[in-house]
Amino acid sequence: MTEQPDRTPTPAPTPPAYPVRTGRLALRPVRADDLDAVHAYRSLPEIARHLPHEPHTREETRKTLERLAAGQALAAPGDWLGLAVETAQGRVVGEVLLRRDDRAPLTGEIGFVFHPGVHGTGIATEAVTAALGLAFDTFGWHRVTGVCTVRNTASAALMRRVGMRLEGVARQDAHRKGAWQDRLHFALLAAEHRRPRPRSADEQAVDAAVAAFYAAFTRRGGGPVTLDGVRAVLAPGAVIERVNPDGSVDRMDTESFIAPREALLNGPDLTDFTEAEAGATTLVAGGTAIRTGEYAKWGVRAGTAFSGWGRKTFRLARADDGDWLVESFCWTDEPEAAAAH
């Protein structure tokens, strides 16, 4: 017998006193006069790439704002509340959306979209964290879910940062833009939101070492790049392996890994490049740590934007001075894609 959804009627949640303020931001329901600001990013191909729709026309953005405004009270299951994210200067730089679930009471879904100009600033994390607080502490929801495609590593990383857990991968469960897509399903419970597990000092130290590794692979506006940050976190005699698409493995030492990548980063074609961890798990046992995760990369090569992703596994050891150094790592890359496809 198929289990039926719980259709027990529940009242609409009581809205807070808007705006909801954080350290740098204010969240309040979207309005018709947000049209210019919202259209500025919803019309961009790089933003629409991971959304169900193509880049918006101005009329499509206007209709979206109308739909969100009509459902902002969350009076009926299935309604969406669209929260505009405003900076201290009054500029709308994104939206966080909360949907009242139509299948079970006191559950909901979260979504978000932000202007690319604020990517990497922590604004998205701050805004989504505030919206989750609204869902749990004001609306009294028990569970909030979030979904993104497997290639949307930035959104997956954001959901992990705010404490949401990956519950599974649904294979080809959405047909969008002419293709079936695999999607990642995340969720957070109210109890987890209120009592997050603290990270140990060792876990935080491993976080810092891995973050320094990724941060070194950054180029802006064609400026010079040095991978000294990578050298600093690699232990003497570190072993580095790349797993190729055909299953073969390339093994290299520190300098044979760094030299060609330093040359590529400083070459005339690759004018902008960023590589960042999109989500990871860390296991620390004594003086050893294993860090496994996905990473995203994006940039501009020969005037054309591109993006890609891959997986890395690090093995780290605690040195005598207490620092964590990478003894070995292996990685594999997925094929790159044009950023606007």
Side-chain angles (χ1 to χ4, degrees), residues 47-89:
I47 296 300
R49 181 159 63 103
H50 294 303
L51 296 177
H53 55 74
E54 298 294 341
H56 267 177
T57 64
R58 187 176 179 83
E59 180 62 15
E60 287 169 336
T61 302
R62 184 186 65 76
K63 289 181 178 179
T64 295
L65 292 179
E66 287 181 352
R67 286 194 299 270
L68 292 174
Q72 70 181 38
L74 298 177
D79 280 352
W80 283 96
L81 164 64
L83 295 169
V85 179
E86 280 188 340
T87 65
Q89 294 74 37

Side-chain angles (χ1 to χ4, degrees), residues 12-75:
T14 302
Y18 292 116
V20 175
R21 298 192 180 276
T22 68
R24 295 179 292 173
L25 308 170
L27 277 64
R28 46 84 178 161
V30 295
R31 305 186 299 249
D33 61 2
D34 294 324
L35 177 58
D36 289 342
V38 172
H39 185 62
Y41 52 83
R42 281 191 174 257
S43 61
L44 296 175
E46 64 194 277
I47 296 300
R49 181 159 63 103
H50 294 303
L51 296 177
H53 55 74
E54 298 294 341
H56 267 177
T57 64
R58 187 176 179 83
E59 180 62 15
E60 287 169 336
T61 302
R62 184 186 65 76
K63 289 181 178 179
T64 295
L65 292 179
E66 287 181 352
R67 286 194 299 270
L68 292 174
Q72 70 181 38
L74 298 177

Side-chain angles (χ1 to χ4, degrees), residues 133 224 231 263 295 298:
R231 293 183 177 92
Y295 67 94
W298 62 94

Side-chain angles (χ1 to χ4, degrees), residues 4-323:
Q4 297 299 312
D6 186 347
R7 301 297 186 185
T8 304
T10 55
T14 302
Y18 292 116
V20 175
R21 298 192 180 276
T22 68
R24 295 179 292 173
L25 308 170
L27 277 64
R28 46 84 178 161
V30 295
R31 305 186 299 249
D33 61 2
D34 294 324
L35 177 58
D36 289 342
V38 172
H39 185 62
Y41 52 83
R42 281 191 174 257
S43 61
L44 296 175
E46 64 194 277
I47 296 300
R49 181 159 63 103
H50 294 303
L51 296 177
H53 55 74
E54 298 294 341
H56 267 177
T57 64
R58 187 176 179 83
E59 180 62 15
E60 287 169 336
T61 302
R62 184 186 65 76
K63 289 181 178 179
T64 295
L65 292 179
E66 287 181 352
R67 286 194 299 270
L68 292 174
Q72 70 181 38
L74 298 177
D79 280 352
W80 283 96
L81 164 64
L83 295 169
V85 179
E86 280 188 340
T87 65
Q89 294 74 37
R91 178 187 171 212
V92 174
V93 294
E95 305 149 60
V96 183
L97 302 104
L98 292 171
R99 176 181 176 271
R100 184 180 170 192
D101 203 314
D102 56 0
R103 296 165 296 178
L106 300 181
T107 63
E109 180 181 351
I110 194 166
F112 41 82
V113 56
F114 290 90
H115 192 286
V118 300
H119 291 176
T121 65
I123 281 177
T125 301
E126 188 174 329
V128 172
T129 299
L132 286 170
L134 181 63
F136 291 122
D137 300 331
T138 302
F139 296 167
W141 288 355
H142 169 69
R143 172 180 162 92
V144 174
T145 62
V147 180
C148 67
T149 65
V150 295
R151 290 195 174 274
N152 190 353
T153 54
S155 289
L158 173 55
M159 285 189 275
R160 285 188 173 99
R161 282 198 302 275
V162 299
M164 301 183 77
R165 296 189 184 186
L166 178 63
E167 295 191 332
V169 180
R171 295 179 300 160
Q172 299 187 14
D173 75 328
H175 192 270
R176 293 175 175 173
K177 302 177 181 177
W180 286 101
Q181 299 181 1
D182 298 345
R183 296 196 298 173
L184 305 176
H185 288 250
F186 291 83
L188 183 66
L189 303 179
E192 296 168 336
H193 169 72
R194 295 176 183 128
R195 293 190 299 274
R197 182 184 72 84
R199 293 183 68 74
S200 69
D202 282 337
E203 287 174 317
Q204 294 179 51
V206 170
D207 290 345
V210 173
F213 177 95
Y214 281 110
F217 293 91
T218 302
R219 191 179 197 189
R220 293 285 182 270
V225 176
T226 174
L227 293 183
D228 288 345
V230 175
R231 293 183 177 92
V233 298
L234 292 179
V239 176
I240 302 162
E241 295 179 328
R242 176 178 180 172
V243 181
N244 299 308
D246 62 2
S248 63
V249 177
D250 298 330
R251 178 173 287 196
M252 58 203 84
D253 61 19
T254 297
E255 286 308 314
S256 61
F257 168 75
I258 287 179
R261 286 157 183 83
E262 211 164 45
L264 178 64
L265 285 167
N266 287 294
D269 289 339
L270 192 64
T271 52
D272 288 272
F273 186 75
T274 302
E275 194 170 90
E277 198 171 47
T281 57
T282 303
L283 174 63
V284 178
T288 300
I290 303 296
R291 174 73 157 232
T292 301
E294 294 183 345
Y295 67 94
K297 56 182 179 179
W298 62 94
V300 178
R301 182 190 297 114
T304 300
F306 70 92
S307 65
W309 65 286
R311 299 178 181 89
K312 277 192 177 79
T313 297
F314 297 89
R315 180 184 178 91
L316 302 94
R318 189 193 295 113
D320 293 339
D321 62 2
D323 290 339

